[in-house]
Amino acid sequence: MTKDRIDRRFAALKAENRAGFVTYVMAGDPDAATTLSVLKGLPAAGADLIELGFPFSDPMAEGPTIQRAAQRGLKSGMTLQGTLDLVAAFREGDQDTPIILMGYLNPVLNKGFETFAALAAKAGVDGLIIVDCPPEEADPLSDALEAEGIALIRLAAPTTDDARLPMVVRRTSGFVYYVSVAGVTGVKSADAADVAPAVERLRKASGLPVAVGFGIRTPDQAAAVAKVADAAVVGSALVDEIESAAQLNENVTEKVLLKASELAKAVRSARVGTK
Amino acid sequence: MNAPAKPNDYSAYPDAEGRFGGFGGRYVAETLMPLVLDLGKAYADAKADPEFQAQLKSYNTHYAGRPSPLYFAERLTEHFGGAKIYFKRDELNHTGSHKINNALGQILLAMRMGKTRIIAETGAGQHGVATATVCARFGLPCVVYMGATDVERQKPNVFRMNLLGAEVRPVSSGTGTLKDAMNEAMRDWVTNVHDTYYLIGTAAGPHPYPVMVRDFQSVIGAEAREQILEMEGRLPDAVVACIGGGSNAIGLFHPFLGDEGVRLIGVEAAGHGVSTDKHAASLTGGRPGVLHGNRTYLLQDDDGQIIDAHSISAGLDYPGIGPEHSFLHDIGRAEYVSTTDTEALEAFKLCSTLEGIIPALEPAHALARVGEIAQELGKGKIVVMNLCGRGDKDIFTVAEALGRKI
């Protein structure tokens, strides 16, 4: 029943009156060993939840940064199975940090929903985000994941209207992921003023915590979102660090963890002095 | 004389969710989902509106030049010595291919929806040219995404699009072909949801695109059916078309679906051969998966990663196929075969020298199988092939393949 790990984590964050910091990196970028060392270092760097991308050849919702990360992941030989292996290796040393896999439907469909769900639960995966699987198409996947206690995390977007909202939050658990900009990952910036009412609307409709992502790059942006949302997700800014460190032959793990801790600090201090 | 036409038994497909049996659907990001649902409603509304249909028919007649002729290819028929071969001459349409049928339909819909910016993807450039054409005609800005590889091998069409006022954006991700162009167009769409209409060129993508493109292209089959009845007094024994995404083929097939005696034969691009890793035959060499908004047959590896397609024809160079073809394949209503690059080149030359028609490389793939089909059917039978595009755009590719410098 691994989605309990997500629920426990958000309950703890609420008790601390702070937002969670969610990091995204791509499995196999630039290689499996580096991803594992990054994963192992992220909780100490301040990540409250970890999103781990599994690469897909045609990532239609990603900006250039994560497109290139997927290409590097594939080039290093990363697969969906390889991603599950990374989670299993991470779990050997960490039983508390929730891990959410994020990617596209075809590799999961290719494995078979039941097979995937069973393997993911065994590896210690807590949730799954599938960008190209809207709620209308999600029931077979939900069936398989629910049987293994894995949360299918739903995405809501600025274009999601009130009529659609009940459909979007149906059969979801863990948290709801608010895509704060209409666009691909890592290009536009989220406007904190627009985020607050959207988060409120989603909380009300779902009764779940709301994480915000797709437009957060800097500590200031992360802090602004952390004031109003239950969690702030940063992906492209971390993946950029991985890319530049790898290109400059620097220590990738060190660089990305340093960036993560700067962002974590901003998220953690965002609500200090408020109640 | 055959029995009179039966009503189309397949009209129940797709269902309300856009599914053709297990294929189709709407697999898009949440940001696009409300738009895709809106589009479905807007299209259903337009489809039922006699005024919209009359407007489309008028542009088809006076702008695109429809109906296109049905032509008895006498010398090819003699050459193969079997069934009579007819060409549906969609290469004679304005812009030189069947793509204008769909571009006209969708731009009228886009304007009806109040959209002010048009984006499209293109492979061979025929859909890009058709889209740029209708955007020029109706005064809408147009951005066409085209794989960098295709920009290189289809230079005349790039120039044509530019002349028509469209911006062509080369896409260098992946292998720089049609699927990458489609990814980039979807990224543009998700970023510019407020004003942009995505004018998809083939009968694939999220519902309602497969059914909408099919409907706009069905003018091909509807005319061909009427014309052959008039010329021969009966229906054909087989209809044949090439398939990349499959829009010209579904347009030809659909009005014949209910005519059980008519064989429907789709021809995929076999590239260097379907047993190699360089082909574009999704039905012959692929298996079901999800890409670009629909569940359909795809070329993919053991991990579910999409494999790059290969074909000498840029218009067939796509690792997927429209979902209705996957459905017709699985239920056995249509047959799907394939043609290699080399065979397509031979057919290209044969059609040029025997009929005085330089075909596009895409229908040359269909033609490469038509000879055998005509022989198999035998004398007294009739086969209709859709000559869906003219070959002017391909002369550089063909010259290179034949070792000629021009």
Side-chain angles (χ1 to χ4, degrees):
Chain A
M1 301 303 280
T2 64
K3 89 172 181 55
D4 293 349
R5 217 165 358 224
I6 302 175
D7 296 342
R8 278 201 303 273
R9 181 53 50 108
F10 275 105
L13 290 166
K14 195 171 180 186
E16 288 178 47
N17 185 32
R18 69 173 181 88
F21 175 48
V22 185
T23 58
Y24 170 97
V25 291
M26 175 69 76
D29 173 23
D31 55 64
T34 306
T35 304
L36 184 57
S37 78
V38 170
L39 290 178
K40 283 180 170 169
L42 278 171
D48 297 301
L49 291 89
I50 294 174
E51 280 180 21
L52 180 60
F54 55 92
F56 182 51
S57 51
D58 294 83
M60 282 156 286
E62 311 302 343
T65 294
I66 294 177
Q67 286 176 45
R68 288 195 299 270
Q71 285 303 314
R72 289 192 296 269
L74 290 173
K75 208 175 154 202
S76 78
M78 187 47 63
T79 59
L80 181 54
Q81 184 58 54
T83 307
L84 293 174
D85 295 344
L86 283 172
V87 176
F90 171 81
R91 276 279 167 260
E92 285 173 14
D94 187 316
Q95 290 298 320
D96 302 318
T97 309
I99 290 208
I100 321 294
L101 295 193
M102 183 164 182
Y104 291 77
L105 187 59
N106 202 50
V108 178
L109 186 66
N110 175 66
K111 220 168 189 39
F113 291 156
E114 282 77 21
T115 308
F116 169 79
L119 290 170
K122 197 165 159 241
V125 171
D126 305 288
L128 180 68
I129 300 175
I130 296 292
V131 179
D132 57 347
C133 188
E136 283 84 347
E137 305 287 357
D139 279 338
L141 180 58
S142 291
D143 292 344
L145 294 176
E146 277 172 16
E148 299 287 349
I150 296 175
L152 182 61
I153 312 284
R154 285 282 162 70
L155 301 164
T159 51
T160 308
D161 55 28
D162 287 334
R164 233 185 112 57
L165 203 48
M167 176 69 157
V168 169
V169 299
R170 195 178 62 91
R171 294 192 82 175
T172 192
S173 58
F175 61 94
V176 178
Y177 188 129
Y178 181 60
V179 174
S180 63
V181 295
V184 293
T185 48
V187 178
K188 289 185 187 171
S189 288
D191 186 337
D194 296 337
V195 167
V199 167
E200 206 40 59
R201 193 167 72 107
L202 281 175
R203 270 195 202 123
K204 218 170 128 190
S206 67
L208 291 169
V210 177
V212 174
F214 265 53
I216 307 172
R217 296 193 64 88
T218 65
D220 284 352
Q221 288 168 346
V225 166
K227 280 197 175 73
V228 295
D230 299 296
V233 187
V234 178
S236 296
L238 296 174
V239 173
D240 277 340
E241 289 297 306
I242 294 178
E243 180 172 60
S244 70
Q247 274 170 0
L248 299 169
N249 266 328
E250 295 173 340
N251 186 320
V252 171
T253 305
E254 230 166 70
K255 291 266 306 208
V256 73
L257 293 180
L258 183 67
K259 185 80 179 177
S261 48
E262 284 168 18
L263 289 155
K265 213 169 123 192
V267 170
R268 282 165 186 253
S269 57
R271 290 191 215 156
V272 170
T274 66
K275 187 73 197 173
Chain B
M1 288 281 283
N2 281 9
K6 286 203 290 183
N8 186 342
D9 297 326
Y10 293 81
S11 59
Y13 296 99
D15 68 12
E17 305 306 316
R19 295 201 181 89
F20 301 87
F23 301 101
R26 305 180 185 98
Y27 295 89
V28 295
E30 174 59 25
T31 310
L32 289 179
M33 200 58 197
L35 282 87
V36 164
L37 293 171
D38 273 355
L39 180 61
K41 284 193 208 107
Y43 176 59
D45 184 65
K47 191 176 175 177
D49 180 356
E51 205 174 301
F52 177 83
Q53 295 297 346
Q55 196 186 16
L56 177 59
K57 190 168 181 354
S58 172
Y59 284 111
N60 268 337
T61 306
H62 302 291
Y63 191 64
R66 301 210 72 91
S68 67
L70 186 71
Y71 162 74
F72 174 43
E74 196 173 353
R75 293 196 68 207
L76 274 169
T77 300
E78 278 168 23
H79 177 81
F80 290 115
K84 288 173 88 168
I85 298 169
Y86 280 87
F87 286 162
K88 178 63 176 161
R89 300 286 306 275
D90 253 50
E91 99 282 11
L92 292 176
N93 295 336
H94 181 40
T95 75
S97 81
H98 70 290
K99 293 293 187 187
I100 192 77
N101 306 331
N102 169 53
L104 271 172
Q106 284 199 55
I107 199 141
L108 294 176
L109 180 63
M111 290 190 295
R112 194 181 157 99
M113 293 175 73
K115 301 290 182 182
T116 55
R117 174 177 178 265
I118 304 292
I119 58 169
E121 84 296 335
T122 197
Q126 295 301 85
H127 173 59
V129 167
T131 304
T133 298
V134 297
C135 285
R137 170 62 186 77
F138 294 103
L140 292 176
C142 177
V143 172
V144 178
Y145 290 93
M146 188 169 185
T149 308
D150 291 338
V151 167
E152 195 50 42
R153 62 178 165 173
Q154 300 286 347
K155 280 182 191 151
N157 272 345
V158 175
F159 186 55
R160 218 167 267 148
M161 284 183 267
N162 291 151
L163 284 175
L164 292 160
E167 181 194 343
V168 179
R169 293 190 187 162
V171 178
S172 52
S173 59
T175 44
T177 59
L178 182 53
K179 93 175 164 82
D180 309 296
M182 204 155 174
N183 289 336
E184 210 54 36
M186 292 191 96
R187 290 179 189 124
D188 181 313
W189 195 23
V190 84
T191 308
N192 298 290
V193 287
H194 55 287
D195 64 351
T196 296
Y197 182 93
Y198 180 16
L199 208 159
I200 294 184
T202 195
H207 179 65
Y209 284 102
V211 67
M212 180 164 69
V213 177
R214 173 196 81 192
D215 289 350
F216 292 139
Q217 293 295 0
S218 287
V219 67
I220 301 170
E223 285 176 8
R225 198 171 182 286
E226 203 171 293
Q227 289 164 323
I228 199 75
L229 284 172
E230 192 170 305
M231 292 167 82
E232 292 281 351
R234 69 178 188 87
L235 292 173
D237 300 283
V239 298
V240 185
C242 64
I243 297 194
S247 72
N248 97 83
I250 204 69
L252 177 65
F253 292 177
H254 198 259
F256 292 101
L257 279 181
D259 300 314
E260 275 167 34
V262 180
R263 285 170 65 187
L264 314 175
I265 305 173
V267 183
E268 297 191 289
H272 296 182
V274 286
S275 57
T276 71
D277 62 354
K278 291 206 180 309
H279 67 83
S282 322
L283 287 174
T284 314
R287 59 181 202 281
V290 167
L291 178 70
H292 293 150
N294 58 168
R295 184 168 189 274
T296 192
Y297 276 80
L298 300 171
L299 301 180
Q300 53 183 316
D301 70 11
D302 291 345
D303 187 40
Q305 306 296 337
I306 306 307
I307 295 173
D308 292 313
H310 166 85
S311 170
I312 190 171
S313 146
L316 305 182
D317 204 345
Y318 182 65
I321 185 166
E324 193 165 6
H325 286 295
S326 293
F327 171 66
L328 294 174
H329 171 264
D330 275 18
I331 63 168
R333 176 62 188 95
E335 306 157 51
Y336 295 88
V337 294
S338 64
T339 289
T340 64
D341 289 352
T342 313
E343 292 171 321
L345 278 169
E346 284 308 313
F348 180 97
K349 289 191 282 184
L350 192 68
C351 188
S352 302
T353 52
L354 282 187
E355 292 292 347
I357 299 171
I358 300 178
L361 279 170
E362 291 80 16
H365 281 72
L367 185 60
R369 296 277 78 82
V370 160
E372 296 153 20
I373 293 164
Q375 286 166 351
E376 186 197 322
L377 290 169
K379 280 193 191 297
K381 304 286 183 175
I382 300 166
V383 56
V384 173
M385 187 199 100
N386 190 26
L387 211 134
C388 61
R390 65 175 185 230
D392 313 43
K393 71 183 175 65
D394 290 316
I395 56 171
F396 297 99
T397 307
V398 173
E400 198 187 315
L402 299 178
R404 282 271 298 272
K405 271 212 152 66
I406 55 173

